[in-house]
Amino acid sequence: MTQLTPRPCAQPWQDAGDVAPPLPRQDPITQLPIVILQPHSRCNCRCVMCDIWQITTKQEIAPEAVERWLPEWRTLGVRRVVLSGGEALLHSRLWDMCRALRDADIGITILSTGILLRRHAENIVRYCDDVVVSLDGPREIHDGIRRIPGAFDKLSDGIRAVRAADASGSVHISGRSVVQLANYRQLRATVAAAHETGLDRISFLAVDVSSDAFNRPDGWQPAQIARTALAVEDLVVLMAELDALEQDNRADFESGFIAESPLKLRRRLYQYFSALLGSGDFHPIECNAPWVSTLIETDGTVRPCFFQPPLGNILDSGSLDAVLNSESAIAWRSGLDTHRNEICRKCVCSLSLRANDSSYPA
């Protein structure tokens, strides 16, 4: 759970009916709270559910480019930049970029595999107030999914290094676990691992097998999907694990250590995998990501989110406003129905940023 104001808070067990309404879907876009930036193209893991690791060429967004974009971003009211990847910590001049963002009073969230946290602990604390690491389960499960020997121990050691450098306790460190065939039996063990590594919070989402994100321009073939998605016979085991998680980790739900409610986890995991198998439908989502956030890739490609097609290129267009508020972009957003769009229906990580809301899913 990445936050605009990074402080953990208890989450309701059921979807509350008295929360603030989602921010409106307004065109043209004049307020954009979130920019997701992919500063570096490559990654230092070889995860079974992602093909970014197959990228062999290094491409980076120059800090000078970000500095040129900042006046416009301030006009758009950008409050937080999320450094995604690849692995952002591989960027050769990442801290020059972060210095410019912080000078512009923009909060910084960094998404990381965790392998390089120790090396960069002091700069992480200096510039970032929010860290989201990937946690795929207890030690052996995590290392197997990452396909990096010792990845879990490096992650744990890195978290300790950030904590040691953070004398004021101002950096929030949370975990994100992608639930798939290799770890769906280990939800309770994953929560225990989150406690063991010293995380502030853990969040779960299902593995994406239907989009062309994560360096899968042609999508995945059935054989590839079968290696990560659940089969029919796995569903009863998943439901039993979800029931046990609700029973055994009641305090973690009540405190907000587990970011989702039991109901939301059933929708996000059980209902999702059931729908993939043709049993029932996906839970309908309410998403305003294309109106309140944008994704800028290392080559300048601008997308409304991780999963939808590009709207343009900031390097070619000269500005973010020129891309987001082009006639074609406005027309695309006006025709987007998240309940009917095939990409949105199968989305594993929607965003519904609300008025006065302090948090949003990364």
Side-chain angles (χ1 to χ4, degrees), residues 189-238:
T190 301
V191 174
H195 282 294
E196 176 188 344
T197 55
L199 294 176
D200 293 314
R201 179 181 289 186
I202 182 69
S203 177
F204 294 95
L205 69 159
V207 62
D208 170 53
V209 297
S210 60
S211 79
D212 62 2
F214 312 112
N215 192 38
R216 302 181 305 213
D218 299 318
W220 264 359
Q221 298 301 312
Q224 294 171 300
I225 295 174
R227 287 199 291 268
T228 54
L230 272 58
V232 172
E233 59 269 22
D234 300 316
L235 292 178
V236 65
V237 180
L238 173 62

Side-chain angles (χ1 to χ4, degrees), residues 38 49-55 84-86 176 178 205 207-209 211-217 220 297 306-307 348:
Q38 294 181 332
M49 66 285 192
C50 175
D51 288 341
I52 291 177
W53 60 271
Q54 297 189 37
I55 296 174
S84 183
R176 178 181 57 188
V178 177
L205 69 159
V207 62
D208 170 53
V209 297
S211 79
D212 62 2
F214 312 112
N215 192 38
R216 302 181 305 213
W220 264 359
E297 299 179 346
F306 282 100
F307 307 105
V348 298

Side-chain angles (χ1 to χ4, degrees), residues 178-198:
V178 177
V179 178
Q180 55 192 289
L181 188 60
N183 65 4
Y184 78 100
R185 299 171 181 264
Q186 306 289 333
L187 302 184
R188 286 170 293 168
T190 301
V191 174
H195 282 294
E196 176 188 344
T197 55

Side-chain angles (χ1 to χ4, degrees), residues 139-200:
R139 181 177 284 99
E140 290 185 5
I141 299 294
H142 180 84
D143 290 0
I145 290 174
R146 298 271 129 186
R147 295 191 284 196
I148 299 292
F152 182 90
D153 290 335
K154 291 176 182 176
L155 168 64
S156 301
D157 182 57
I159 293 172
R160 287 193 295 270
V162 173
R163 297 291 192 202
D166 183 25
S168 65
S170 60
V171 179
H172 181 258
I173 309 177
S174 59
R176 178 181 57 188
S177 186
V178 177
V179 178
Q180 55 192 289
L181 188 60
N183 65 4
Y184 78 100
R185 299 171 181 264
Q186 306 289 333
L187 302 184
R188 286 170 293 168
T190 301
V191 174
H195 282 294
E196 176 188 344
T197 55
L199 294 176
D200 293 314

Side-chain angles (χ1 to χ4, degrees), residues 4 19 21 25 32-33 41 47-48 94 99 101 128 166 199 214 228 231 239 245-246 274 313 321-322 333 351:
L4 291 174
V19 296
R25 303 176 179 183
L32 192 78
S41 60
C47 301
V48 298
L94 181 67
R99 186 180 302 111
L101 291 170
C128 306
D166 183 25
L199 294 176
F214 312 112
T228 54
M239 181 57 79
L245 180 67
E246 180 177 2
S274 297
N313 189 292
D321 179 78
R333 288 192 296 269
L351 167 63

